[in-house]
Amino acid sequence: MSTDALLQLDDVGFSYSRHRTVLQDVTASFAAGSVTAISGPSGCGKSTLLNILGLLLRVESGTVKLAGRDVGGASDAERAAWRARHVGFVFQDALLDPAMTVAENLLEGLPLQRSRRSAAATMRDLLEQFGIGDLAHRPASRLSGGQGQRVALVRALLKDPTMVLADEPTGNLDDVTAEVVLSALLDFGRRPGRAAVVVTHDRRIVARADQSIELPVSRR
Ligand SMILES: Nc1ncnc2c1ncn2[C@@H]1O[C@H](COP(=O)(O)OP(=O)(O)OP(=O)(O)O)[C@@H](O)[C@H]1O
Ligand SMILES: [Mg+2]
């Protein structure tokens, strides 16, 4: 396996309960500067795998290595610290605070060392790029599904993470908007030292990724 892998999974197994295995013997390498597509039937474990890559879930068997270091022995606090600094999640449902505006959702919780003014400028550029520049001051409770997903992607990119993990980021978008979002993810993942992992059913995205992982139907 390449030594410049940001993340390396070897023989990873996972289940939520004793009765059913969700992931079995998953071996995969996520190189710096690459975009990976994960696909497979509904319920096969794609979101679960993304949560493992983002250190939200611990594996049951096998190993997860970050830049060559096995994270199996890392404490919850160490894992949370890595996540906070390095991972930009775009969850399947956007997980915005409905009581706050789009801009408040995006600027809240950014690392303190970043100047708020430059973050706000980057935010405006990204919202504009994704065709939702007019929504900055709208309450998140009044966004459509596709608008919310784009806001979630802006939030992930604003953090300037090492890797973006995106779960069906184009699922609710028209073709033109999906292309803009996909281009942004491809550009991000191919930057030196970064990576993007995209869960998708869209064959066109799979075709344009640097590597594709197709998960089998999970077994009972
Ligand atoms: N927190 C949980 N507790 C128990 N079972 C779960 C949990 N989350 C997911 N599962 C189960 O694990 C399996 C894999 O779920 P997962 O969400 O990873 O699938 P998926 O491939 O992302 O599906 P979809 O394409 O529908 O989003 C499913 O059978 C699901 O019901
Ligand atoms: Mg899913």
Side-chain angles (χ1 to χ4, degrees), residues 16-17 20 22 40-49 92 167-168 199 201 215 218:
Y16 290 101
S17 78
R20 184 149 181 268
V22 175
S42 180
C44 70
K46 302 181 296 297
S47 298
T48 302
L49 181 57
Q92 213 163 354
D167 205 342
E168 296 276 9
V199 169
H201 291 288
L215 293 177
S218 61

Side-chain angles (χ1 to χ4, degrees), residues 173-220:
L173 302 179
D174 62 83
D175 284 356
V176 174
T177 314
E179 174 57 33
V180 174
V181 163
L182 173 61
S183 300
L185 283 166
L186 292 173
D187 286 350
F188 175 86
R190 288 174 181 157
R191 286 163 57 189
R194 311 302 173 98
V197 182
V198 185
V199 169
T200 185
H201 291 288
D202 188 335
R203 307 310 304 174
R204 293 169 297 183
I205 298 183
V206 172
R208 285 166 67 186
D210 302 308
Q211 110 172 300
S212 140
I213 297 172
E214 178 129 19
L215 293 177
V217 185
S218 61
R219 330 145 179 71
R220 289 179 185 282

Side-chain angles (χ1 to χ4, degrees), residues 5 47 61 87 96 103-104 107 111-112 115 126 132 135 139 146 152 155 160 171 175 179 203-204 206-207:
S47 298
S61 55
V87 183
L96 302 171
E104 287 163 352
L107 296 175
L112 287 174
S115 122
L126 286 168
I132 48 175
L135 299 184
R155 179 172 57 188
D160 195 22
D175 284 356
E179 174 57 33
R203 307 310 304 174
R204 293 169 297 183
V206 172

Side-chain angles (χ1 to χ4, degrees), residues 1-193:
M1 280 298 158
S2 81
T3 49
D4 65 346
L6 276 181
L7 259 174
Q8 171 77 37
L9 304 188
D10 285 296
D11 301 320
V12 159
F14 182 87
S15 50
Y16 290 101
S17 78
R18 216 175 310 140
H19 313 292
R20 184 149 181 268
T21 301
V22 175
L23 299 172
Q24 198 167 37
D25 298 330
V26 177
T27 293
S29 182
F30 301 82
S34 77
V35 178
T36 301
I38 297 176
S39 57
S42 180
C44 70
K46 302 181 296 297
S47 298
T48 302
L49 181 57
L50 218 55
N51 287 338
I52 287 171
L53 295 177
L55 309 192
L56 276 171
L57 291 175
R58 285 179 185 272
V59 298
E60 225 164 55
S61 55
T63 57
V64 177
K65 288 188 192 136
L66 271 178
R69 175 175 162 249
D70 187 345
V71 296
S75 68
D76 287 347
E78 286 171 312
R79 294 164 64 92
W82 161 266
R83 236 172 14 243
R85 171 64 196 88
H86 295 285
V87 183
F89 271 110
V90 184
F91 289 103
Q92 213 163 354
D93 38 12
L95 297 184
L96 302 171
D97 185 333
M100 298 203 287
T101 66
V102 166
E104 287 163 352
N105 266 285
L106 289 173
L107 296 175
E108 199 231 20
L110 280 179
L112 287 174
Q113 66 270 25
R114 288 270 295 282
S115 122
R116 203 164 171 93
R117 187 182 296 175
S118 87
T122 309
M123 173 191 78
R124 278 193 296 275
D125 288 349
L126 286 168
L127 289 173
E128 201 64 51
Q129 184 187 340
F130 294 145
I132 48 175
D134 52 335
L135 299 184
H137 302 296
R138 183 177 290 193
S141 58
R142 291 201 271 119
L143 298 175
S144 73
Q147 290 166 344
Q149 268 182 325
R150 278 174 282 170
V151 172
L153 178 58
V154 170
R155 179 172 57 188
L157 293 172
L158 257 188
K159 185 171 166 179
D160 195 22
T162 301
M163 60 184 103
V164 167
L165 306 177
D167 205 342
E168 296 276 9
T170 60
N172 295 321
L173 302 179
D174 62 83
D175 284 356
V176 174
T177 314
E179 174 57 33
V180 174
V181 163
L182 173 61
S183 300
L185 283 166
L186 292 173
D187 286 350
F188 175 86
R190 288 174 181 157
R191 286 163 57 189

